[in-house]
Amino acid sequence: MLMPDPDQTVISRKREIVDKLREIVPGEGVIADEDELKVYESDGLTAYKQPPLIAVLPESTEQVSRVLKFCHKENIKVVPRGAGTSLSGGALPLADGIILGLGKFNRILDIDFDNRCAVVQPGVTNLGITKAVEDEGFYYAPDPSSQIACTIGGNVAENSGGVHCLKYGLTTNNLLGLEMVLIDGTVLRIGGKHLEAEGYDLLGLMTGSEGLLGVVTEVTVRLLKKPETARALLLGFSSSEAAGELVASIIAAGIVPGGMEMMDRPAIHAAEDFVHAGYPLDVEALLIVELDGPQAEVDYLMETVSALADAKGAVTKRVSESEEERMRFWAGRKAAFPAVGRISPDYYCMDGTIPRNQLPHVLRRMREMSEHYSLGVANVFHAGDGNLHPLILYDANKEGELEKAEEFGADILRLCVEVGGVLTGEHGVGVEKRDLMPDMFTDIDLKQQQRVKCAFDPDALLNPGKVFPQLHRCAELGRMHISRGQLPFPELPRF
């Protein structure tokens, strides 16, 4: 994985830089010891490792502003980091850059039930928000599988979703405001407790920006009232294709479940062995369909979905009869990733999104790819919105298997684009999908995106080497072309 060449001048100044940063963040807030820095050498995509030059752990927006202002002045690269659960290498450090860890920003600042929102720092965990408000009957809707550990700042960076995003939306649909710091130290506030604002949608622009535009230091999120009733339906099928067809049928019938998740046989068995959720083990595919709302509506929709499942050949059906049973159904799904880790030395977690009606076709093609690469795959899907999470099984200790897994994953993502989908639904581009961006975007598209980056970070100091497959200086954007076979600016690194 090629990254920008380290700036040896910056590396040679490490001691001086550490001293300056310790003036800004005193005490134990600056980490420079090589052994201690290994903690930060990778994120959830552990196939790639690179210790940072320095790690800085600020405690206030003022400290973040001063650190960024210093780095901007001294031309030092900065990689923002939350809990490090990113699965795309979005928080992969740089040898000549600092990791700006926001783990100490872990306070809930305000809970406003009248306006149904909460103001939190970016280091608060996703689940921590719900835990803080559930006694009053409220919750925070986006719920990634890693919600016990992932932080809300990272959720904003990747526009995370979760099993209930079909009905209640991704992070961007549940975000009301941000405080952020630009690379030059400027502190901005975007949005707030109000629901709408005129002008450019800067809040939408920041959501999913993967740390390339600014550092988030405060987040205002929408709170929802828990539904009156929620029940989950377990549906087993003799083929993944039949389960995929039911997903399309439910949506076509005008039903929008609170959540609609799918697992194939390997994922079912792994999750059941791990959690004992009561999943049927004699099926090829399992759908979990949750319906919520008023009791009468839920009862009616349960009957409708059950009839649709019968029409698509469901071989098993089971309805949750208590809140404990419903949560047990979901516990298996949310534990699918660690569960699969028990059946394979390593796995490579993919993330792509497709049109729902393409699910049966994509499943068949992935099965063919699995045979071609001689690598197993366990499939876990946010089936309702077409967000796929295939887990490619491999052994990193076997020579060449990681490379095969990467090639397999790249083919899956190209297939997503081929059928009208996109490279990522919620894990981000990071370094994992960076070199596949031209499969989805034209050169004009990518340059236009980089112009936005230049408007916020003209010196490309924030999280460089991520998202964009080709490095451009802001001054050259819009002027690059090939003339008489000669590439201009040949001295620029291109990776």
Side-chain angles (χ1 to χ4, degrees):
M1 178 62 65
L2 295 175
M3 295 294 286
D5 291 332
D7 186 334
Q8 296 300 326
T9 302
V10 171
I11 293 175
S12 68
R13 296 172 52 218
K14 178 176 178 177
R15 176 45 53 193
E16 172 196 341
I17 295 169
V18 167
D19 291 342
K20 292 291 186 183
L21 289 172
R22 282 180 173 155
E23 292 177 7
I24 300 171
V25 185
E28 298 180 346
V30 177
I31 300 171
D33 179 78
E34 290 186 8
D35 289 336
E36 294 177 351
L37 288 172
K38 288 181 180 178
V39 174
Y40 301 96
E41 68 181 4
S42 70
D43 56 16
L45 185 63
T46 55
Y48 307 120
K49 294 179 173 63
Q50 167 60 62
L53 181 67
I54 304 163
V56 184
L57 310 176
E59 299 182 8
S60 67
T61 299
E62 188 264 342
Q63 286 183 350
V64 171
S65 174
R66 290 178 62 193
V67 168
L68 291 180
K69 186 175 182 179
F70 168 74
C71 290
H72 181 248
K73 178 183 176 183
E74 300 295 330
N75 203 43
I76 301 168
K77 298 163 188 167
V78 180
V79 177
R81 177 186 169 106
T85 60
S86 168
L87 291 167
S88 64
L92 182 69
L94 299 165
D96 59 342
I98 72 165
I99 278 283
L100 188 66
L102 296 167
K104 293 185 177 181
F105 282 71
N106 57 7
R107 292 184 298 130
I108 294 176
L109 303 175
D110 180 37
I111 296 174
D112 185 344
F113 291 119
D114 290 338
N115 286 304
R116 296 198 173 190
C117 64
V119 182
V120 305
Q121 292 184 316
V124 173
T125 63
N126 175 287
L127 187 59
I129 299 175
T130 291
K131 289 294 185 183
V133 300
E134 62 185 0
D135 287 347
E136 297 294 327
F138 287 84
Y139 73 110
Y140 177 63
D143 55 346
S145 296
S146 59
Q147 66 178 148
I148 192 172
C150 67
T151 58
I152 196 66
N155 288 180
V156 172
E158 306 291 8
N159 192 23
S160 303
V163 299
H164 289 93
C165 66
L166 171 61
K167 184 172 183 179
Y168 297 104
L170 299 143
T171 299
T172 189
N173 306 110
N174 292 274
L175 195 61
L176 296 174
L178 292 175
E179 177 186 79
M180 58 179 285
V181 186
L182 302 182
I183 187 61
D184 65 357
T186 300
V187 180
L188 296 181
R189 282 193 171 273
I190 304 169
K193 292 184 178 182
H194 51 277
L195 293 180
E196 302 291 346
E198 64 177 9
Y200 292 117
D201 184 14
L202 296 178
L203 195 60
L205 180 65
M206 279 300 300
T207 311
S209 60
E210 303 194 35
L212 271 70
L213 305 182
V215 177
V216 172
T217 51
E218 186 182 288
V219 185
T220 303
V221 298
R222 185 193 313 270
L223 300 177
L224 297 182
K225 193 75 175 175
K226 287 185 179 179
E228 174 187 318
T229 303
R231 299 178 72 190
L233 182 63
L234 279 185
L235 300 167
F237 292 84
S238 58
S239 74
S240 294
E241 287 80 5
E245 290 171 2
L246 176 61
V247 170
S249 295
I250 290 172
I251 299 299
I255 300 170
V256 183
M260 186 155 52
E261 298 290 301
M262 179 175 167
M263 295 186 284
D264 67 3
R265 177 181 279 271
I268 296 166
H269 281 249
E272 180 61 20
D273 289 344
F274 188 40
V275 176
H276 308 295
Y279 292 162
L281 299 178
D282 57 348
V283 298
E284 292 299 321
L286 183 69
L287 272 182
I288 309 175
V289 183
E290 180 168 289
L291 300 161
D292 59 16
Q295 179 72 53
E297 179 185 3
V298 171
D299 291 344
Y300 170 76
L301 292 178
M302 275 287 180
E303 293 179 4
T304 304
V305 171
S306 181
L308 290 171
D310 289 338
K312 293 299 179 182
V315 295
T316 65
K317 286 192 295 185
R318 183 176 163 194
V319 179
S320 63
E321 298 298 337
S322 66
E323 180 65 8
E324 291 74 21
E325 188 174 28
R326 181 182 76 88
M327 295 305 294
R328 192 159 60 249
F329 288 175
W330 284 119
R333 164 59 187 89
K334 285 180 175 287
F337 290 3
V340 170
R342 300 170 77 232
I343 65 172
S344 176
D346 300 281
Y347 68 77
Y348 194 35
C349 180
M350 305 307 300
D351 163 56
T353 301
I354 61 171
R356 284 180 288 256
N357 64 354
Q358 292 292 327
L359 187 54
H361 168 69
V362 169
L363 287 170
R364 282 193 295 271
R365 289 281 299 276
M366 280 200 290
R367 200 155 44 239
E368 294 169 1
M369 292 178 193
S370 177
E371 294 173 0
H372 171 73
Y373 285 103
S374 299
L375 293 175
V377 60
N379 284 299
V380 182
F381 306 141
H382 298 312
D385 63 346
N387 188 196
L388 316 181
H389 292 316
L391 307 176
I392 300 171
L393 313 181
Y394 73 100
D395 185 348
N397 292 317
K398 293 182 179 179
E399 186 175 353
E401 282 218 348
L402 171 58
E403 290 73 20
K404 275 207 303 182
E406 290 177 319
E407 291 173 14
F408 186 178
D411 281 350
I412 290 174
L413 295 175
R414 291 189 186 101
L415 174 61
C416 291
V417 175
E418 176 187 316
V419 300
V422 294
L423 291 172
T424 179
E426 58 173 335
H427 291 178
V429 176
V431 295
E432 177 207 16
K433 306 179 186 77
R434 182 194 67 193
D435 297 333
L436 292 172
M437 289 285 275
D439 287 80
M440 181 173 168
F441 297 105
T442 67
D443 187 53
I444 294 173
D445 295 332
L446 291 170
K447 285 183 177 179
Q448 192 65 19
Q449 292 177 36
Q450 288 179 76
R451 290 188 182 96
V452 175
K453 162 76 168 168
C454 290
F456 285 81
D457 179 22
D459 298 317
L461 296 176
L462 280 172
N463 219 7
K466 316 293 174 58
V467 179
F468 300 116
Q470 186 173 11
L471 180 65
H472 290 293
R473 291 198 181 111
C474 293
E476 74 170 304
L477 279 172
R479 298 205 303 265
M480 177 171 274
H481 62 280
I482 304 297
S483 176
R484 298 179 181 178
Q486 298 298 312
L487 183 70
F489 310 102
E491 76 281 0
L492 281 178
R494 293 176 171 85
F495 44 87

